[in-house]
Every structure is written in structure tokens, then in C-alpha cells.
């Protein structure tokens, strides 16, 4: 047990900061002088894709738990102790043609019900916490997957951003419990919309104004079906606006410097390659979707629907592991929530889903005054271990060994 003395405890439940002694679970017995510092629960990224190469970047930005929304069982097992707690699913289930290509180490692409049910069995044997489905999944396959998953006490999460056939109402009626990116709700509000429509058709649809009554009807139905949403607003915003950060100072942060200098996790190469392919028509569509999802999120919160905070890092462009949680926290300032409520949503409420992680952050400045202060970390406590910020910065994974393992896993599938 670690005893942190005289620290400013950020009491999110009671919306106050109180000076007190706090005990943090640890493998070691230690006493720390917390005078002048702040202690808060660790952040939870409720939609992300962690890897052995990126794991330390979550801790370096104060994320002590991740909800991994798609990946590979063997690859996640390569992650060592310098990592947040991982609440994971693994290969996701898509239709044919697969949006990420044919079946591989990260996905099962099929229109065959029996193949999809075998994929659910695989996830259950791997002790996945939930099942993830993707945008080209067929209706009959989705219904069968939900039924099988329910029998195994696994909820189904759906990323239906690119669906042409299954809107949020249909997904909820089938029994889907999570809409990642708040996806397919726009499809329920604009029945003719999908991401593959022509520019002219998008221009027509984007001029339609959905009534408050219709928005309320759709969202009320989802709430009655106990659907949770993770809007990933920063993802939409970066796809629309490019490399513009909220706040701009993130670009000069310790965390961005570490990401820029990382020779193993070279995510900027990926982002630059994707960004170069995005044309003005695509960006205009993403800006429109961003505004739609903001309105959906605001109304869902108003109606007491379950909304969680996640980033989708490192997908799309300029959405970084750990660091982008600050951007996403700032996005939630749009929704009539104060700083305590936003931080509670990103910690206490999220941990009611993923389980208590005993994660805490000892930081140098008040996170309630400015979410960017979360990045000024002294020590991260997670999984019974403590990591000084400088130690996380210096930690390097064995890239050669990791690549060898990855090639073997890729060959297997």
C-alpha cells in the first residue's frame, strides 16, 4: 500500500477538492508527500485500440484503463506491465466484403451465420468482455450474433458508421447494446444517408432539418433498449478540420514530443498518409457528421441516456493514444456539464462498466481548472504498480522481438 500524505484529493462524487491522506493499492509499501499536488482517479478511454507499441503513451497521458474495441488476442498478450488495464474484445465480425478486407488477424468477414457464430465462440474462449460488429454485417448475421452473445453473457457493440442497411433503431431492436461513434443514429434521422452517397445527394440531405420531436423519438427508443453511446467527437472533428488541436497547446506538450520521437510507434506516418487522401468533399461530410453527433450526444445526455468518453485512437487522423482524451474531455464542455461531471464520466462512471482498476494520477496542477493539467503528471498508479512520469518516458519496447511475434501471428491468420 502506498500512503500519499497531505494531497489535494479531487473528490468527483462530491464536487470538491479536499486535503487528506489517501491510500493507493500497491505491491510496495511507500509513503509519498503529496503537499501541493493533486490526486485523482485515472482516466478510462472507452473506445480505443491499444498495442504493445502504444501502451506506454496511454499511461504517459494519465489513462489507466482502456476499453479495447477491436484487435487480436495474441497481439494484446504481447503487452507488458507498462500499460493500462485492458478491458478488451478482439477480432471484430464484419460482412463481406469486409470494410477492412477479408478475414485476417483483426477481423472475421463473413455473410455466413455459422462462421459468425464460430467467431463469437472464439471470443468467448478468449474471455473477451464483449463482441464487436462492423458496418458491412448483414441483418440476419447480426441477429444471430446478438442471440449467441446474449447466451454467453456478452454484450454486442456495433460500429455502423459505414452501414447501408442497419440503422440504430434496427440495431437496438436486434439487441445491440453499444453504438460506437454514436454510429447509425444519423441513419435513423436521415434514412437516405450513408457514407458512400454522391456529393449531390449529400448536399440534398445535409439541407434537411430534423425536428426536435423526431430526434427525441429516436433517442428515447434507444434509451428504452438500454443502448450506450461513445461519440468519439474528436475523431469526427479531426477528419473534418485536419491537424488542429483542442486546445492548441497540446501540439507543444510533453506527450506530443514523446509521440513525435517514438521510433517504434510511428503513428504520424499513418496519419500523414491518411490525411493526404482526404478531399474537400470528404471533409465537408465529416464536419456535418460532427455537428450531427454533437447534437445527438447533447440530447442523449439531456434524456439521461448512457454516454461514455472515448477517442478511437489511433484511428483516422491526429487522434493519439492517451493525449486525445484531453481533447475529448474538452468536447464535453459543449453539453452543459461542469468539469467535475466530465471527469466523473471519464473515470467513475466508466469504471462501473470496465471494473475498478485502482488507477490514480498524482499530478502537479488542478485538473478541474484545466483538463490539460492532467498531462502534468508526477506518478501514475495502476494495477498495483507505480510509474514515475520520467520512467514512462524512458521506457522502450523491444521492436525487433515485437515484429517477429507480429509476423508469426499474421501468418497464423
Amino acid at each position: 500500500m502506498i500512503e500519499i500524505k497531505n494531497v489535494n484529493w479531487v473528490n468527483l462524487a462530491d464536487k470538491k477538492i479536499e486535503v487528506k491522506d489517501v491510500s493507493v493499492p500497491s505491491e510496495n509499501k511507500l509513503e509519498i508527500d503529496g503537499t501541493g499536488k493533486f490526486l485523482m482517479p485515472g482516466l478510462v478511454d472507452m473506445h480505443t485500440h491499444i498495442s504493445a507499441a502504444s501502451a506506454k503513451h496511454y499511461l504517459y497521458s494519465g489513462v489507466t484503463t482502456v476499453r479495447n474495441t477491436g484487435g487480436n488476442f495474441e497481439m494484446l498478450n504481447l503487452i507488458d506491465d507498462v500499460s493500462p488495464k485492458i478491458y478488451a474484445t478482439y477480432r471484430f465480425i464484419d460482412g463481406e466484403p469486409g470494410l477492412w478486407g477479408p478475414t485476417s488477424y483483426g477481423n472475421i468477414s463473413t455473410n455466413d451465420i455459422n462462421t459468425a457464430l464460430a467467431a463469437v465462440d472464439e471470443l468467448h474462449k478468449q474471455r473477451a468482455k464483449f463482441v464487436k460488429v462492423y458496418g458491412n454485417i448483414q441483418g440476419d448475421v447480426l441477429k444471430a450474433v446478438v442471440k449467441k452473445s446474449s447466451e454467453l453473457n456478452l454484450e454486442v457493440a456495433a460500429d455502423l458508421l459505414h452501414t447501408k442497411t442497419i440503422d440504430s433503431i434496427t440495431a437496438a431492436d436486434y439487441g445491440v447494446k453499444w453504438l460506437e461513434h454514436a454510429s447509425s443514429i444519423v441513419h435513423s434521422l436521415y434514412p437516405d444517408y450513408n457514407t458512400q452517397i454522391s456529393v449531390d445527394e449529400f448536399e440534398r440531405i445535409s439541407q434537411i432539418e430534423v425536428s426536435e420531436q423526431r430526434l427525441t423519438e429516436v433517442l428515447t427508443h434507444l434509451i428504452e433498449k438500454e443502448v450506450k453511446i461513445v461519440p468519439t467527437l474528436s475523431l469526427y472533428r479531426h477528419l473534418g478540420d485536419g491537424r488542429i488541436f483542442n486546445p492548441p497547446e497540446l501540439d507543444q506538450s510533453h506527450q506530443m514530443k514523446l509521440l513525435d520521437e517514438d521510433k517504434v510507434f510511428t503513428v504520424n506516418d499513418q496519419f500523414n498518409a491518411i490525411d493526404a487522401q482526404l478531399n474537400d468533399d470528404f471533409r465537408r461530410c465529416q464536419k456535418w457528421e460532427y455537428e450531427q453527433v454533437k447534437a445527438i450526444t447533447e440530447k442523449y445526455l439531456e434524456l439521461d441516456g448512457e454516454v461514455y468518453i472515448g477517442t478511437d485512437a489511433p484511428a483516422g487522423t491526429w487522434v493519439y493514444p492517451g493525449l486525445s482524451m484531453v481533447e475529448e474531455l474538452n468536447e464535453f464542455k459543449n453539453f452543459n456539464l461542469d468539469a467535475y461531471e466530465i471527469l466523473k464520466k471519464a473515470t467513475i462512471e466508466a469504471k462501473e462498466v470496465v471494473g475498478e482498476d485502482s488507477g490514480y494520477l498524482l499530478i502537479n496542477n488542478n485538473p478541474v481548472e484545466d483538463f490539460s493539467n492532467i498531462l502534468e503528471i508526477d506518478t501514475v498508479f495502476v494495477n498495483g504498480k507505480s510509474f514515475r512520469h520520467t520512467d514512462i518516458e524512458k521506457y522502450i519496447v523491444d521492436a525487433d522481438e515485437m515484429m517477429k511475434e507480429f509476423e508469426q501471428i499474421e501468418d497464423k491468420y
Side-chain angles (χ1 to χ4, degrees):
M1 191 70 72
I2 293 178
E3 301 292 334
I4 305 175
K5 301 291 187 179
N6 200 42
V7 73
N8 293 294
W9 168 242
V10 184
N11 185 337
L12 299 174
D14 297 330
K15 294 189 176 184
K16 63 182 181 181
I17 293 176
E18 49 194 351
V19 179
K20 60 187 294 187
D21 299 341
V22 180
S23 298
V24 174
S26 175
E27 297 173 353
N28 303 312
K29 188 174 182 180
L30 185 66
E31 185 173 299
I32 296 174
D33 181 8
T35 303
K37 298 187 185 299
F38 294 79
L39 187 70
M40 63 171 283
L43 298 174
V44 181
D45 189 332
M46 289 293 283
H47 183 118
T48 193
H49 302 275
I50 193 172
S51 68
S54 68
K56 77 171 188 178
H57 291 286
Y58 292 92
L59 291 186
Y60 198 61
S61 294
V63 174
T64 58
T65 293
V66 297
R67 177 173 171 266
N68 191 73
T69 49
N72 176 277
F73 176 73
E74 291 90 346
M75 288 173 65
L76 285 179
N77 279 338
L78 298 178
I79 298 175
D80 57 28
D81 289 345
V82 186
S83 168
K85 175 183 174 182
I86 303 173
Y87 180 94
T89 192
Y90 306 109
R91 294 204 294 168
F92 60 76
I93 305 170
D94 197 7
E96 290 182 317
L99 288 164
W100 283 88
T103 295
S104 71
Y105 64 89
N107 62 293
I108 299 100
S109 297
T110 183
N111 292 338
D112 177 69
I113 289 176
N114 289 329
T115 303
L117 295 183
V120 176
D121 280 328
E122 173 189 286
L123 291 166
H124 183 249
K125 289 175 183 175
Q126 293 169 341
R127 298 186 178 178
K129 301 298 186 182
F130 59 102
V131 173
K132 167 89 171 288
V133 300
Y134 215 56
N136 271 357
I137 193 167
Q138 301 299 298
D140 59 342
V141 176
L142 178 57
K143 282 199 288 187
V145 164
V146 171
K147 183 175 183 295
K148 176 72 171 181
S149 300
S150 179
E151 292 169 357
L152 298 173
N153 295 315
L154 294 171
E155 290 186 329
V156 173
D159 174 350
L160 299 172
L161 279 176
H162 302 293
T163 185
K164 293 181 179 179
T165 59
I166 302 171
D167 72 334
S168 65
I169 297 293
T170 303
D173 288 345
Y174 286 168
V176 168
K177 294 301 181 187
W178 291 81
L179 290 177
E180 309 300 324
H181 317 293
S183 61
S184 74
I185 300 175
V186 170
H187 298 69
S188 296
L189 300 172
Y190 300 88
D192 294 332
Y193 178 74
N194 65 72
T195 56
Q196 292 84 47
I197 58 175
S198 68
V199 173
D200 289 343
E201 184 67 358
F202 170 71
E203 292 296 339
R204 181 188 70 80
I205 290 172
S206 65
Q207 300 305 311
I208 298 171
E209 186 172 338
V210 172
S211 70
E212 186 78 9
Q213 179 181 350
R214 176 57 181 163
L215 176 62
T216 301
E217 287 173 353
V218 169
L219 299 187
T220 298
H221 184 84
L222 299 183
I223 290 169
E224 289 172 351
K225 295 292 184 177
E226 301 179 333
V227 172
K228 285 82 74 174
I229 68 171
V230 189
T232 62
L233 290 156
S234 296
L235 174 70
Y236 289 103
R237 186 176 58 76
H238 279 298
L239 287 170
D241 292 339
R243 200 177 191 276
I244 300 173
F245 296 101
N246 178 22
E249 292 75 20
L250 293 183
D251 206 7
Q252 306 302 318
S253 66
H254 306 297
Q255 284 74 10
M256 188 65 78
K257 183 175 184 291
L258 187 65
L259 285 157
D260 287 342
E261 294 176 351
D262 196 321
K263 303 301 183 186
V264 178
F265 182 63
T266 54
V267 70
N268 283 328
D269 293 342
Q270 168 191 313
F271 289 162
N272 280 309
I274 295 173
D275 198 68
Q277 299 177 42
L278 305 184
N279 61 35
D280 289 342
D281 290 332
F282 178 86
R283 291 193 188 279
R284 187 161 56 252
C285 180
Q286 291 302 305
K287 289 179 181 181
W288 178 80
E289 283 210 45
Y290 171 62
E291 294 300 331
Q292 301 307 309
V293 175
K294 275 204 300 186
I296 287 164
T297 303
E298 181 174 25
K299 192 65 173 180
Y300 216 66
L301 287 165
E302 180 186 316
L303 295 171
D304 291 326
E306 289 189 58
V307 180
Y308 295 93
I309 298 177
T311 66
D312 201 23
T317 57
W318 320 121
V319 185
Y320 291 96
L323 181 60
S324 288
M325 274 297 286
V326 172
E327 290 200 278
E328 200 66 18
L329 294 174
N330 282 330
E331 289 288 345
F332 274 68
K333 291 178 180 177
N334 292 310
F335 306 133
N336 198 32
L337 299 172
D338 64 33
Y340 283 102
E341 291 167 325
I342 296 169
L343 288 173
K344 181 181 177 183
K345 187 167 288 295
T347 57
I348 296 171
E349 290 183 17
K351 290 175 185 182
E352 290 174 358
V353 175
V354 301
E356 181 58 52
D357 68 352
S358 301
Y360 296 90
L361 309 176
L362 184 64
I363 57 182
N364 296 320
N365 296 298
N366 189 343
V368 176
E369 292 180 352
D370 187 334
F371 293 144
S372 296
N373 285 340
I374 294 170
L375 302 177
E376 297 300 322
I377 295 169
D378 180 287
T379 307
V380 177
F381 306 93
V382 61
N383 295 328
K385 300 181 183 299
S386 60
F387 299 96
R388 295 300 302 270
H389 208 227
T390 51
D391 293 335
I392 301 171
E393 181 178 1
K394 295 173 184 175
Y395 183 77
I396 299 174
V397 299
D398 187 336
D400 292 337
E401 181 63 26
M402 188 171 61
M403 182 54 67
K404 184 168 66 175
E405 295 279 0
F406 171 71
E407 289 172 351
Q408 291 175 357
I409 292 167
E410 192 174 29
D411 289 343
K412 173 182 174 181
Y413 291 94

